[in-house]
Amino acid sequence: MAGNTFGTLFKLTTFGESHGIALGGVIDGCPAGLVIDEAFIQSELDKRKPGQSRITTQRKEADKVEFLSGIFEGKTTGTPIGFTIYNTNEKSKDYDHIKDSFRPSHADFTYEAKYGHRDYRGGGRSSARETASRVVGGAIAKLILKHYNININAYVTQAGKLKLDNPYTFYNLEDTYNNPARCPDEKMAQQMFDYIDEIRKEGDTIGGITTCVVKGCPIGLGSPVFDRLEADLAKAMLSINATKGFEIGSGFNGVNLKGSEHNDEFYTEGDFIKTKTNNSGGVQGGISNGEDIYFNVAFKPVATIMKPQNSIDKNGKNVIVNGKGRHDPCVLPRAIAIVEAMAAMVILDHLLINKTTTL
Amino acid sequence: MAGNTFGTLFKLTTFGESHGIALGGVIDGCPAGLVIDEAFIQSELDKRKPGQSRITTQRKEADKVEFLSGIFEGKTTGTPIGFTIYNTNEKSKDYDHIKDSFRPSHADFTYEAKYGHRDYRGGGRSSARETASRVVGGAIAKLILKHYNININAYVTQAGKLKLDNPYTFYNLEDTYNNPARCPDEKMAQQMFDYIDEIRKEGDTIGGITTCVVKGCPIGLGSPVFDRLEADLAKAMLSINATKGFEIGSGFNGVNLKGSEHNDEFYTEGDFIKTKTNNSGGVQGGISNGEDIYFNVAFKPVATIMKPQNSIDKNGKNVIVNGKGRHDPCVLPRAIAIVEAMAAMVILDHLLINKTTTL
Amino acid sequence: MAGNTFGTLFKLTTFGESHGIALGGVIDGCPAGLVIDEAFIQSELDKRKPGQSRITTQRKEADKVEFLSGIFEGKTTGTPIGFTIYNTNEKSKDYDHIKDSFRPSHADFTYEAKYGHRDYRGGGRSSARETASRVVGGAIAKLILKHYNININAYVTQAGKLKLDNPYTFYNLEDTYNNPARCPDEKMAQQMFDYIDEIRKEGDTIGGITTCVVKGCPIGLGSPVFDRLEADLAKAMLSINATKGFEIGSGFNGVNLKGSEHNDEFYTEGDFIKTKTNNSGGVQGGISNGEDIYFNVAFKPVATIMKPQNSIDKNGKNVIVNGKGRHDPCVLPRAIAIVEAMAAMVILDHLLINKTTTL
Amino acid sequence: MAGNTFGTLFKLTTFGESHGIALGGVIDGCPAGLVIDEAFIQSELDKRKPGQSRITTQRKEADKVEFLSGIFEGKTTGTPIGFTIYNTNEKSKDYDHIKDSFRPSHADFTYEAKYGHRDYRGGGRSSARETASRVVGGAIAKLILKHYNININAYVTQAGKLKLDNPYTFYNLEDTYNNPARCPDEKMAQQMFDYIDEIRKEGDTIGGITTCVVKGCPIGLGSPVFDRLEADLAKAMLSINATKGFEIGSGFNGVNLKGSEHNDEFYTEGDFIKTKTNNSGGVQGGISNGEDIYFNVAFKPVATIMKPQNSIDKNGKNVIVNGKGRHDPCVLPRAIAIVEAMAAMVILDHLLINKTTTL
């Protein structure tokens, strides 16, 4: 259980370091007969790709995925899908200065302590560059979810202190990709863009919150008591670099309500059973109830800043760590692609598991 | 992958319904040679037991665990530990009125939809009564963690709108069990008690937040990229009934800080590498860094209220659901035992996994 | 991964020692809505129960299973099925003499070396008494397989040197339980009975071979490359106490044939694709092909003999170990129930997995 | 659980089809700090490589492994090791004739039936070409086992009807690679070579048996009751293409012995506890006892023969299938590398698991 496989029936195993030869992975358990839309997969990767605008890192990576197996004549065969994404623009020289130093709030120290031997270049395995492989897995999951009319949309709901006032139902989520801040509210998107750009010029960074919405999820997904749908979503989200929190439905604010205010009343709408409110966030007892699933994910401010910081080196000596390299002042605009990818894999996995629940 | 097993090397599998014959479970992977302190295990169960004070449910359950295997002459043998907790005080009659109705924000509807056939009495498998088995697993995990001087303490940091102002470092966590509200601040504990009691009289319920602190966790636990320590903690917490959110370290509030404010500087203290602040919450890159691990868990208000609510029955007809039975106005005082138990199992599991990381 | 759980989607976890309080287990992943035929389950247990005839151990055990959860109004609910089988006839005194000694070809030494602390009474966890729990899991699996018209029959094909001459197709497998030797050939059954009885009087033991046949298995079960159907069957069989070998289809004898003799030609019979011969044993490329699945399992002679044997004790001193207690001179007549149970669980597990193979 | 991952703590996931772009895999859980001896790994691949002599297939494949991650400055970092082996000599044209036909005793039919869509070229995923990836995993496992002085040697003990008369203890296993038949007895090796060559000229094929011996395995490996060491070995071996049987220690022949003949007496040799005989094959109660572990694996005759065979096509019409392409008349000389690789991974996995057994 070395930690690099995600999922139970639809399984993604990833490999690769930031400045190694290649990233990649294996998708095992993808149902046979799926038409692989490579353009769609690449477009998903592009949503996460660096260099999309002034407010993301200028590192240039093609992030071109190559499939090595599991697809024949354009369709999946049910056998494992191996893929690679070669690293093309690694500037390892940028990292010589941290070879022996531990950057604050990075994983340099913990990897060194745990493994004894680490690839320090660009954070190595701890770099968010690894998440490109997740986006490939998520893109294929999305292709399957389309067959079930399940849609997943994430957007930036908070960047630093700038925060949308309304819940997701207020916005047209299709507008998210109209702007580089990835916020469906045009005015706020511009404010976020300007703010992130200002932070970038300061050499500082900010964090933020993304909201993710799953529409069309069938009733019945989730395997209580431990593999509740929200538990698997929480794990998926906290497995993404830089995340510090997850909440579903009413989340942390729900604790301010009384039961009589918080409970979601059932009613019927034609043949369907619905709830009048959705504080549950689409899950009850760990199982999807057919309402929209929505949740928030908190990302801390990016650890790499362009300012000198006090730290220590391997020998415990005090050092000054200076920021170098090409980094994001705020990961949120790129991170939503990863949040969607992980959510897609969780939903698909439970969709497959659920096929075996009854006789 | 039916969802009732937790853990990788230290594995707990649970079974049992609220009003069935017995709850219980199997603990597999418990190292051999552990002295089983049954009094300690029972005391952990008592922390979760109903009927502890006026502000918890008055259902009377002995919650007496019986071990059936895996222990010989008072010590574990490395073989699986089977155990049962017989239900003694089930009043199934209390539930006839909901046999065919779906209580708002309960799992009645989703279980019915998923499985087609459910034990409706007291929520059946979806009842938090199931968590008694988790406390047994957690208690045994804690016995092992004691060998490593790892301590885990959870407390109630918010009950409804009543909220502690200070971080955990401000309180003496040993004071938590001095009062029925399970809050380490005496004055706030009294306020919480009074408030919960008032809510109880109203026939309503509230939610709340628990903070959990792990002290003494060694450096190096966690298996990136997917099985990060915080990812497994998040899953563990969101697998508990009624939880809606998880945050570690700076959590959702951390997004308001800049990187230069949020980063935790390293320094040396004797032979130890420490951080000046701990916004990371004891984990960096998914791996424990030796600092305190602390996180919050949000619980929604209890779904069962003593007020009439609109809902529907199996046939989609409108019904009024009335609250009956013996329920908690606020689960927090009892829930902290469950939070600790789940945290203990996560930490132990990673402790065992970490033994295999290097040659 | 402590080794006491079997299966992927239909999972059995067992616990219990030979002379502990109880055996038992948890079945997780059993589809909801299955009518539980308790009489059938008990009849399966009775097939494995000691004391069935003069040629099996005279230990008297009721082997009465009690279900604690997961069943409501006679049908499964999709939640875990916990069960216990209390030990009623343990004579622990019989084992004082081996408390500190290692019986030849038993697990006393390896358990002591591995775990450091063991329940020596009756072999503890290493006793085949544990397999009663497997029979419960297998019986429930069989109830589901009946819905698919899949039948599993095992019989004794060799006891010591006495061996049936013909393949399984020659016999009426329904005749197996007409005699205590569990051999479908009446004449050979009598010879086996007499031979085992003679061996019993000598205070010695013999081994044997069981053949197991699965009829009605649908095409498509098995998950190459590692979880081939025959690989999972092999593991299942070698996980049974005292087994030393597994072969499927032509098995070890198949190596004497040339490819031109061994290959199974395809032909059509109405709408069905069949093979003229079945050297493949019903699996090709790790996947069932619709033909009968048949395999052999070799059991070594029972290790406990009623004769003095040289051995050593914990301190490495020479000792004489004398056989005591009530033991089987040959496990085969009881073992076929276990072989069937394990096979049923493997087939069912792959049946469930296979529901997720295509879109 | 799509079947392409092997192992629990040391995990190999493979991908790739016979005539696709590349084979490859991911090794997760390899301890950090291991010096990667690439020459050794390549030499292991060469043992399995086609074209080694006249009696193996003449398909020319470089079988050159490229490592993409997990290794830095020549040592493992504890992160996943991704690798590829590009296919260079695929002659897909050779397979047009079987695009729509089902070759007897191949996996064409079962893959078609299970997945609905298959890569028919060269058997696609069902080709033994996939096992090259296993040899990479096994080679790395062997590098770790060397640190523990554990050695694994397999050899050809039977080819068709030609069979070595003596047990493994009679031969010098270092002699195995002195000849292309991979048999440690020089005279028999020549006979086997001649026989296989003759079979090749006939256009026919044969099967055989390999014996594998593990020396130096520590006491205590194996996780009863289900993950017994021999159970995991059995699964590993039956997961290899064309295998039909597995036996450990006395195996199928052991059933002819009485308990008094079969039991392995314990004695002490200095500080070590040993057994006088080793019918157990190095495992007792599912756990290694420190003696040599030895087992046999039966391989059926190769299904592809150079003779016309009757079969059917996708539409159920009768067809004649002619053998084309470059194939092995007997897989045994190449298969022993695969047997060793799988054994190495099983032993290593249990070695890692065993680190967590006691406090």
Side-chain angles (χ1 to χ4, degrees):
Chain A
M1 292 300 157
N4 295 286
T5 296
F6 188 80
T8 296
L9 289 174
F10 183 90
K11 305 206 298 189
L12 172 70
T13 301
T14 74
F15 65 83
E17 280 85 40
S18 176
H19 288 60
I21 296 171
L23 307 168
V26 184
I27 297 160
D28 198 12
C30 184
L34 178 74
V35 174
I36 289 294
D37 179 344
E38 292 209 31
F40 172 76
I41 296 168
Q42 194 60 49
S43 73
E44 290 291 297
L45 276 166
D46 290 348
K47 286 160 67 176
R48 187 209 147 275
K49 205 168 69 169
Q52 297 176 66
S53 81
R54 199 162 73 218
I55 60 168
T56 59
T57 171
Q58 296 307 300
R59 181 173 173 180
K60 295 284 184 219
E61 282 289 355
D63 279 357
K64 175 85 187 82
V65 62
E66 183 181 24
F67 291 107
L68 304 177
S69 66
I71 299 165
F72 183 62
E73 298 175 343
K75 286 194 296 184
T76 58
T77 60
T79 63
I81 300 169
F83 64 88
T84 49
I85 300 169
Y86 277 79
N87 288 319
T88 55
N89 193 240
E90 66 274 14
K91 296 194 179 175
S92 305
K93 285 278 156 56
D94 283 355
Y95 295 94
D96 279 354
H97 69 297
I98 54 143
K99 182 176 172 180
D100 299 318
S101 299
F102 300 138
R103 291 169 297 167
S105 289
H106 269 280
D108 304 336
F109 167 61
T110 50
Y111 267 66
E112 182 79 28
K114 182 180 181 75
Y115 300 110
H117 178 60
R118 74 187 160 100
D119 181 350
Y120 56 84
R121 300 167 304 166
R125 181 68 178 158
S126 75
S127 164
R129 180 141 182 72
E130 171 270 332
T131 58
S133 299
R134 304 189 188 198
V135 172
V136 175
I140 288 178
K142 280 185 173 184
L143 287 174
I144 300 172
L145 295 182
K146 282 183 183 182
H147 285 256
Y148 294 91
N149 292 314
I150 302 170
N151 283 294
I152 300 176
N153 287 286
Y155 63 89
V156 179
T157 199
Q158 184 168 354
K161 289 173 184 175
L162 292 173
K163 188 178 181 175
L164 283 177
D165 292 326
N166 291 299
Y168 76 92
T169 47
F170 193 83
Y171 305 104
N172 182 351
L173 304 188
E174 310 260 307
D175 293 340
T176 301
Y177 277 88
N178 291 349
N179 60 73
R182 308 311 187 205
C183 175
D185 179 284
E186 192 181 348
K187 201 174 148 194
M188 176 57 85
Q190 186 61 48
Q191 289 176 33
M192 285 178 174
F193 183 88
D194 292 344
Y195 181 47
I196 297 172
D197 199 36
E198 184 187 314
I199 289 290
R200 180 183 66 79
K201 288 172 189 161
E202 281 179 27
D204 217 326
T205 61
I206 53 169
I209 296 175
T210 177
T211 297
C212 183
V213 186
V214 183
K215 286 176 179 287
C217 182
I219 302 169
L221 305 199
S223 302
V225 294
F226 295 113
D227 299 343
R228 287 164 194 258
L229 191 58
E230 65 267 43
D232 280 354
L233 285 168
K235 170 158 180 169
M237 297 307 141
L238 268 294
S239 81
I240 301 173
N241 309 50
T243 56
K244 302 303 283 185
F246 169 88
E247 59 180 0
I248 189 161
S250 62
F252 278 91
N253 287 329
V255 306
N256 295 315
L257 300 177
K258 293 183 183 174
S260 56
E261 297 163 328
H262 189 276
N263 282 354
D264 297 320
E265 275 186 19
F266 288 107
Y267 72 102
T268 41
E269 195 173 278
D271 287 346
F272 297 99
I273 292 173
K274 308 281 291 172
T275 62
K276 285 190 185 165
T277 49
N278 186 14
N279 286 311
S280 299
V283 285
Q284 290 175 327
I287 298 169
S288 61
N289 68 357
E291 301 293 319
D292 290 349
I293 296 168
Y294 65 97
F295 56 85
N296 291 329
V297 185
F299 288 78
K300 69 173 188 176
V302 174
T304 302
I305 58 177
M306 295 298 121
K307 296 178 170 184
Q309 297 178 90
N310 295 316
S311 193
I312 58 166
D313 68 11
K314 277 186 180 182
N315 305 312
K317 291 202 179 154
N318 293 334
V319 294
I320 303 287
V321 173
N322 289 295
K324 279 193 190 173
R326 298 149 296 172
H327 299 280
D328 291 280
C330 177
V331 293
L332 274 290
R334 294 173 58 205
I336 58 174
I338 309 162
V339 166
E340 287 182 11
M342 295 305 294
M345 289 192 284
V346 170
I347 298 293
L348 174 57
D349 206 18
H350 278 284
L351 198 70
L352 296 176
I353 293 169
N354 200 42
K355 289 187 174 192
T356 67
T357 304
T358 49
L359 278 181
Chain B
M1 291 300 159
N4 294 286
T5 296
F6 188 79
T8 295
L9 288 174
F10 182 90
K11 302 205 298 189
L12 171 70
T13 301
T14 74
F15 65 82
E17 280 84 40
S18 175
H19 288 60
I21 295 171
L23 306 168
V26 184
I27 297 159
D28 198 15
C30 184
L34 177 74
V35 174
I36 289 294
D37 180 344
E38 291 208 33
F40 172 76
I41 296 168
Q42 193 60 50
S43 73
E44 289 291 297
L45 276 167
D46 291 347
K47 286 161 66 175
R48 186 209 148 275
K49 206 169 67 170
Q52 297 175 66
S53 81
R54 197 163 74 219
I55 60 168
T56 60
T57 171
Q58 296 307 301
R59 182 174 174 178
K60 296 281 182 222
E61 283 288 355
D63 279 358
K64 176 85 186 79
V65 63
E66 182 182 24
F67 291 107
L68 304 177
S69 66
I71 300 165
F72 183 62
E73 297 174 346
K75 286 194 296 182
T76 58
T77 59
T79 63
I81 301 170
F83 65 88
T84 49
I85 300 169
Y86 277 80
N87 288 320
T88 55
N89 193 241
E90 66 274 14
K91 296 196 179 175
S92 305
K93 285 278 157 54
D94 283 353
Y95 295 94
D96 279 354
H97 67 298
I98 54 142
K99 182 176 171 180
D100 299 317
S101 299
F102 301 138
R103 290 170 297 166
S105 288
H106 269 280
D108 304 336
F109 167 61
T110 50
Y111 268 66
E112 182 79 27
K114 184 180 180 74
Y115 300 110
H117 178 60
R118 74 187 160 99
D119 180 350
Y120 57 83
R121 300 167 304 166
R125 181 68 177 157
S126 75
S127 166
R129 180 139 182 73
E130 171 269 333
T131 58
S133 298
R134 305 188 187 199
V135 172
V136 175
I140 288 179
K142 280 184 172 183
L143 286 174
I144 300 173
L145 294 182
K146 282 183 184 183
H147 285 256
Y148 294 90
N149 292 314
I150 303 171
N151 283 294
I152 300 176
N153 287 287
Y155 63 89
V156 180
T157 199
Q158 183 168 353
K161 289 173 183 174
L162 292 174
K163 188 177 180 174
L164 284 177
D165 291 326
N166 290 300
Y168 76 91
T169 47
F170 193 84
Y171 305 104
N172 183 350
L173 304 189
E174 310 260 305
D175 293 339
T176 301
Y177 278 88
N178 291 350
N179 60 72
R182 309 311 187 205
C183 175
D185 179 284
E186 193 182 346
K187 200 172 147 196
M188 176 57 85
Q190 187 59 49
Q191 289 175 33
M192 285 179 174
F193 183 89
D194 294 342
Y195 181 47
I196 297 172
D197 199 36
E198 181 187 316
I199 289 288
R200 181 183 66 78
K201 289 173 189 161
E202 281 179 28
D204 216 328
T205 61
I206 54 169
I209 297 176
T210 176
T211 296
C212 183
V213 186
V214 183
K215 286 175 179 286
C217 182
I219 302 168
L221 306 199
S223 302
V225 294
F226 295 113
D227 300 341
R228 288 164 192 257
L229 191 58
E230 66 268 42
D232 281 353
L233 285 169
K235 171 161 180 167
M237 297 307 141
L238 267 295
S239 82
I240 301 174
N241 309 49
T243 55
K244 301 304 282 184
F246 168 88
E247 59 180 359
I248 189 162
S250 62
F252 278 91
N253 287 328
V255 305
N256 295 315
L257 300 177
K258 293 183 183 174
S260 56
E261 298 163 328
H262 189 276
N263 282 354
D264 298 318
E265 274 186 19
F266 289 106
Y267 71 103
T268 42
E269 196 174 276
D271 286 346
F272 296 99
I273 292 173
K274 308 281 292 172
T275 62
K276 287 193 183 162
T277 49
N278 186 14
N279 286 311
S280 299
V283 285
Q284 290 175 328
I287 299 168
S288 61
N289 68 356
E291 301 294 320
D292 290 348
I293 296 168
Y294 65 97
F295 55 85
N296 291 328
V297 185
F299 288 79
K300 68 171 187 177
V302 174
T304 302
I305 58 177
M306 295 297 122
K307 296 179 169 184
Q309 296 178 90
N310 296 314
S311 192
I312 58 167
D313 67 12
K314 277 186 180 183
N315 306 311
K317 290 201 180 157
N318 294 335
V319 293
I320 302 287
V321 172
N322 289 296
K324 280 193 190 171
R326 298 149 297 172
H327 299 280
D328 291 280
C330 177
V331 294
L332 274 290
R334 295 174 56 205
I336 59 174
I338 308 161
V339 166
E340 286 182 12
M342 294 304 295
M345 289 191 284
V346 170
I347 299 293
L348 173 57
D349 205 20
H350 278 283
L351 199 69
L352 295 176
I353 293 170
N354 200 42
K355 290 187 174 192
T356 67
T357 304
T358 50
L359 277 182
Chain C
M1 291 302 158
N4 294 286
T5 296
F6 188 80
T8 295
L9 288 174
F10 182 89
K11 304 205 298 191
L12 172 70
T13 301
T14 74
F15 65 83
E17 280 85 38
S18 175
H19 288 60
I21 296 173
L23 307 168
V26 184
I27 296 160
D28 199 14
C30 184
L34 177 74
V35 175
I36 289 293
D37 180 345
E38 292 209 32
F40 173 77
I41 296 167
Q42 194 60 50
S43 72
E44 289 291 297
L45 276 166
D46 290 348
K47 286 160 66 175
R48 187 208 147 274
K49 207 169 67 170
Q52 298 176 66
S53 80
R54 198 163 75 219
I55 60 168
T56 60
T57 170
Q58 296 306 304
R59 182 174 173 178
K60 296 282 183 221
E61 283 288 355
D63 279 358
K64 175 86 186 82
V65 63
E66 182 181 26
F67 291 107
L68 304 177
S69 67
I71 300 166
F72 183 62
E73 297 175 343
K75 286 193 297 182
T76 57
T77 60
T79 64
I81 300 169
F83 65 88
T84 49
I85 300 169
Y86 277 79
N87 288 320
T88 56
N89 193 239
E90 65 273 16
K91 296 196 178 172
S92 305
K93 286 275 156 57
D94 282 354
Y95 294 95
D96 279 355
H97 68 298
I98 53 143
K99 183 175 173 181
D100 299 316
S101 299
F102 301 137
R103 290 169 297 167
S105 289
H106 270 280
D108 304 337
F109 167 62
T110 51
Y111 268 66
E112 183 79 27
K114 182 179 181 76
Y115 300 110
H117 178 60
R118 73 186 161 101
D119 180 350
Y120 57 84
R121 300 168 303 167
R125 181 68 177 157
S126 75
S127 165
R129 178 139 184 73
E130 171 269 332
T131 57
S133 299
R134 304 189 189 199
V135 173
V136 175
I140 288 179
K142 280 185 173 183
L143 287 174
I144 300 172
L145 295 182
K146 282 184 184 182
H147 285 257
Y148 294 90
N149 292 314
I150 303 170
N151 283 294
I152 300 176
N153 287 287
Y155 62 90
V156 179
T157 199
Q158 183 168 353
K161 288 173 186 176
L162 292 174
K163 188 177 178 176
L164 283 177
D165 291 327
N166 291 299
Y168 75 91
T169 46
F170 192 84
Y171 306 104
N172 183 352
L173 304 188
E174 311 260 306
D175 293 339
T176 301
Y177 277 89
N178 291 350
N179 61 73
R182 308 310 185 206
C183 175
D185 180 284
E186 194 182 347
K187 200 173 147 194
M188 176 58 84
Q190 187 60 48
Q191 289 176 34
M192 285 178 174
F193 182 88
D194 294 342
Y195 181 48
I196 297 172
D197 199 35
E198 182 188 316
I199 289 288
R200 181 182 66 79
K201 288 173 189 159
E202 279 180 28
D204 217 326
T205 60
I206 54 169
I209 296 175
T210 176
T211 297
C212 183
V213 185
V214 184
K215 286 176 179 286
C217 183
I219 303 168
L221 305 198
S223 302
V225 293
F226 295 113
D227 300 342
R228 288 165 193 257
L229 191 58
E230 65 268 43
D232 280 354
L233 285 168
K235 170 159 179 167
M237 297 308 141
L238 267 295
S239 81
I240 301 173
N241 309 50
T243 55
K244 303 303 282 185
F246 168 88
E247 60 180 358
I248 188 162
S250 62
F252 278 91
N253 287 329
V255 306
N256 295 317
L257 299 177
K258 294 184 183 173
S260 56
E261 298 162 328
H262 190 275
N263 282 354
D264 297 319
E265 274 186 20
F266 289 107
Y267 72 102
T268 42
E269 195 173 279
D271 287 346
F272 296 99
I273 292 173
K274 308 281 291 171
T275 63
K276 285 191 186 164
T277 49
N278 186 14
N279 286 311
S280 299
V283 285
Q284 290 175 327
I287 299 169
S288 60
N289 68 355
E291 302 293 320
D292 290 349
I293 295 168
Y294 65 97
F295 56 85
N296 291 329
V297 185
F299 289 79
K300 67 171 189 178
V302 174
T304 302
I305 57 176
M306 295 298 122
K307 297 180 170 183
Q309 297 179 90
N310 295 315
S311 192
I312 58 167
D313 68 11
K314 277 184 180 183
N315 305 311
K317 290 202 179 155
N318 293 335
V319 293
I320 302 287
V321 173
N322 288 297
K324 282 193 191 174
R326 297 150 295 173
H327 299 280
D328 292 281
C330 177
V331 294
L332 274 288
R334 294 174 57 205
I336 58 173
I338 309 161
V339 166
E340 286 182 10
M342 295 305 293
M345 288 191 285
V346 170
I347 298 293
L348 174 58
D349 206 18
H350 278 283
L351 199 69
L352 295 176
I353 293 169
N354 200 41
K355 289 187 174 191
T356 67
T357 304
T358 49
L359 279 181
Chain D
M1 291 303 158
N4 295 285
T5 296
F6 188 80
T8 295
L9 289 174
F10 182 90
K11 303 205 298 191
L12 172 69
T13 301
T14 74
F15 65 82
E17 280 83 39
S18 175
H19 287 61
I21 296 172
L23 306 168
V26 184
I27 296 160
D28 199 14
C30 184
L34 178 73
V35 175
I36 289 294
D37 180 343
E38 292 208 33
F40 172 76
I41 296 168
Q42 194 60 50
S43 73
E44 289 291 298
L45 276 166
D46 290 349
K47 286 160 66 176
R48 187 208 147 276
K49 206 169 68 170
Q52 297 175 67
S53 80
R54 199 163 73 220
I55 60 167
T56 60
T57 170
Q58 296 306 304
R59 181 174 173 177
K60 294 284 183 222
E61 283 288 355
D63 278 357
K64 175 87 186 80
V65 62
E66 181 181 26
F67 292 107
L68 304 177
S69 67
I71 300 165
F72 183 62
E73 297 175 344
K75 287 194 295 183
T76 58
T77 60
T79 63
I81 301 169
F83 64 89
T84 49
I85 300 169
Y86 277 79
N87 288 320
T88 56
N89 194 240
E90 66 274 15
K91 296 196 179 174
S92 305
K93 284 279 156 55
D94 283 354
Y95 295 95
D96 279 354
H97 68 297
I98 53 143
K99 183 176 172 181
D100 299 317
S101 299
F102 301 138
R103 290 170 298 168
S105 288
H106 269 280
D108 303 336
F109 167 61
T110 50
Y111 268 66
E112 182 79 28
K114 183 180 180 75
Y115 300 110
H117 179 59
R118 73 187 161 101
D119 181 348
Y120 57 83
R121 299 167 306 169
R125 181 67 177 159
S126 75
S127 165
R129 180 141 183 71
E130 172 269 332
T131 57
S133 299
R134 305 188 188 199
V135 172
V136 175
I140 288 179
K142 281 184 173 184
L143 286 174
I144 300 172
L145 294 182
K146 282 183 183 183
H147 285 255
Y148 294 90
N149 292 314
I150 302 170
N151 284 295
I152 300 176
N153 287 287
Y155 62 90
V156 180
T157 199
Q158 183 168 352
K161 288 173 185 175
L162 293 174
K163 189 176 178 177
L164 284 177
D165 292 325
N166 290 300
Y168 76 91
T169 47
F170 192 83
Y171 305 104
N172 183 351
L173 304 188
E174 311 260 306
D175 293 340
T176 302
Y177 277 88
N178 291 350
N179 61 73
R182 308 312 187 207
C183 175
D185 180 283
E186 194 182 346
K187 200 175 146 196
M188 176 58 85
Q190 188 60 49
Q191 289 176 32
M192 285 179 175
F193 183 88
D194 293 343
Y195 181 47
I196 297 172
D197 200 35
E198 183 188 314
I199 289 289
R200 182 183 65 79
K201 287 172 191 162
E202 280 180 27
D204 216 327
T205 61
I206 54 169
I209 297 175
T210 176
T211 296
C212 183
V213 186
V214 184
K215 287 175 179 287
C217 182
I219 302 170
L221 305 199
S223 302
V225 295
F226 295 113
D227 301 342
R228 287 163 193 260
L229 192 58
E230 65 268 42
D232 280 353
L233 285 168
K235 170 159 181 168
M237 297 308 141
L238 268 295
S239 82
I240 300 173
N241 308 51
T243 56
K244 303 303 284 184
F246 168 87
E247 60 180 359
I248 189 161
S250 62
F252 278 90
N253 288 328
V255 306
N256 296 315
L257 299 177
K258 293 184 183 173
S260 56
E261 298 163 327
H262 189 275
N263 282 355
D264 297 319
E265 274 186 20
F266 289 107
Y267 72 102
T268 42
E269 195 173 277
D271 287 346
F272 296 98
I273 291 173
K274 308 280 291 171
T275 62
K276 286 191 186 164
T277 49
N278 186 15
N279 286 311
S280 299
V283 284
Q284 290 174 327
I287 298 168
S288 61
N289 68 356
E291 301 293 321
D292 290 349
I293 295 168
Y294 65 97
F295 55 85
N296 291 329
V297 185
F299 289 78
K300 68 172 188 177
V302 174
T304 302
I305 57 176
M306 295 297 124
K307 297 180 170 182
Q309 296 179 91
N310 295 315
S311 194
I312 57 167
D313 67 11
K314 277 186 180 182
N315 305 311
K317 291 202 180 155
N318 294 334
V319 294
I320 303 286
V321 173
N322 289 295
K324 282 193 190 174
R326 298 149 299 172
H327 299 279
D328 292 280
C330 177
V331 294
L332 274 290
R334 295 173 57 203
I336 59 174
I338 309 162
V339 166
E340 287 182 12
M342 295 304 295
M345 288 192 285
V346 170
I347 298 293
L348 173 57
D349 205 19
H350 278 282
L351 199 70
L352 295 175
I353 293 169
N354 200 41
K355 289 188 174 192
T356 67
T357 304
T358 49
L359 278 180

